[in-house]
């Protein structure tokens, strides 16, 4: 498959089948993805991996904990929360990507950008293996909460980048219509 075709065909996958995802494969793909993104010095990021049923259950509880703090949420969102909890426990593997922060804003942005490029490459390499994923970053209260960050072991000098749910899939979703590049183009006139 050509790189252009791979990029064009890759989709976000939210519904996985029950096939287990090998930790070894995930690590190999992350290593390849890192090798495709040259960086200076030592890696300024780390990954938290949750793939066993117990680890997925724990992660699901971390995510729902903040939302369920509210009595109103418990009463009104119970059915929704069960569905949400199921989504987290049924994803065969989860990776939480974390980057070290730096007092130098340029170094901080470079480390964050490098990790994002690594995760994009990881998604493409995984797609070649028929391994799909969804990258959750959202500003929503559950995943960007101090409580969630504490539960996953985020250090004071680290920043949460995203949670990737990973698994094999049976059906590829249809692609969305994309905005043509020329509609996003601005030329600086002399």
């Amino acid at each position: 498959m050509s790189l252009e075709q791979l990029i064009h065909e890759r989709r976000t996958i939210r519904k996985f089948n029950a096939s287990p995802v090998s930790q070894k494969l995930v690590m190999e793909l992350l290593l390849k993805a890192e090798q495709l993104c040259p960086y200076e010095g030592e890696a300024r990021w780390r990954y938290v991996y949750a793939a066993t049923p117990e680890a997925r259950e724990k992660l699901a509880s971390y995510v729902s904990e903040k939302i369920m703090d509210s009595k109103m949420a418990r009463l009104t969102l119970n059915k929704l929360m069960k569905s949400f909890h199921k989504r987290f426990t049924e994803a065969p593997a989860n990776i939480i990507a974390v980057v070290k922060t730096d007092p130098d804003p340029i170094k901080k942005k470079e480390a964050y950008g490098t990790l994002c490029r690594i995760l994009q490459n990881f998604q493409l390499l995984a797609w070649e293996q028929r391994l799909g994923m969804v990258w959750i970053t959202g500003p929503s209260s559950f995943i960007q909460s101090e409580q969630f960050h504490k539960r996953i072991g985020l250090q004071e000098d680290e920043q949460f980048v995203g949670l990737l749910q990973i698994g094999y899939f049976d059906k590829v979703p249809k692609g969305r219509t994309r905005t043509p590049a020329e509609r996003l183009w601005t030329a600086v006139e002399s």
Side-chain angles (χ1 to χ4, degrees):
M1 179 181 302
S2 74
L3 181 59
E4 183 178 350
Q5 182 182 3
L6 179 64
I7 292 169
H8 181 73
E9 291 181 5
R10 191 204 64 79
R11 300 283 181 267
T12 295
I13 303 296
R14 290 182 172 83
K15 193 170 188 172
F16 307 106
N17 64 35
S19 301
V21 175
S22 159
Q23 181 175 339
K24 182 180 177 193
L25 175 61
V26 170
M27 289 174 68
E28 287 172 3
L29 294 173
L30 279 170
L31 179 61
K32 284 181 185 179
E34 287 179 350
Q35 291 170 343
L36 292 169
C37 291
Y39 56 90
E40 291 184 23
E42 67 180 64
R44 298 187 46 80
W45 50 84
R46 67 185 177 94
Y47 311 101
V48 178
Y49 188 69
T52 65
E54 298 80 18
R56 295 190 321 252
E57 181 65 39
K58 197 179 274 190
L59 181 60
S61 71
Y62 293 169
V63 170
S64 58
E65 215 170 48
K66 176 70 176 166
I67 297 169
M68 296 311 278
D69 275 350
S70 161
K71 185 177 181 180
M72 181 64 98
R74 283 193 304 272
L75 294 172
T76 59
L77 299 176
N78 198 26
K79 188 174 181 180
L80 179 64
M81 285 309 299
K82 284 180 183 175
S83 168
F84 191 71
H85 190 269
K86 183 179 177 186
R87 179 177 159 198
F88 271 84
T89 55
E90 289 184 352
N94 299 274
I95 292 180
I96 298 167
V98 174
V99 70
K100 284 218 178 267
T101 58
D102 195 290
D104 179 342
I106 292 174
K107 286 183 181 176
K108 180 180 177 181
K109 286 180 183 178
E110 284 175 350
Y112 187 90
T114 299
L115 181 54
C116 288
R117 286 191 306 277
I118 289 167
L119 296 177
Q120 287 290 338
N121 288 341
F122 173 67
Q123 287 182 311
L124 293 171
L125 292 167
W127 189 259
E128 285 185 313
Q129 304 292 318
R130 298 252 336 132
L131 198 55
M133 64 189 75
V134 58
W135 181 350
I136 304 168
T137 57
S140 58
S141 62
F142 66 87
I143 210 158
Q144 291 294 355
S145 74
E146 188 176 320
Q147 186 174 357
F148 177 72
H149 292 171
K150 185 177 180 180
R151 298 288 263 158
I152 63 170
L154 195 71
Q155 304 298 309
E156 279 191 35
D157 66 341
E158 293 179 323
Q159 178 182 357
F160 172 82
V161 175
L163 185 151
L164 286 84
Q165 292 187 305
I166 306 163
Y168 293 100
F169 54 94
D170 297 320
K171 186 178 176 187
V172 176
K174 286 185 178 182
R176 296 182 308 187
T177 304
R178 300 291 180 188
T179 304
E182 54 271 4
R183 287 194 42 214
L184 305 171
W185 185 265
T186 302
V188 178
E189 302 296 326
S190 52

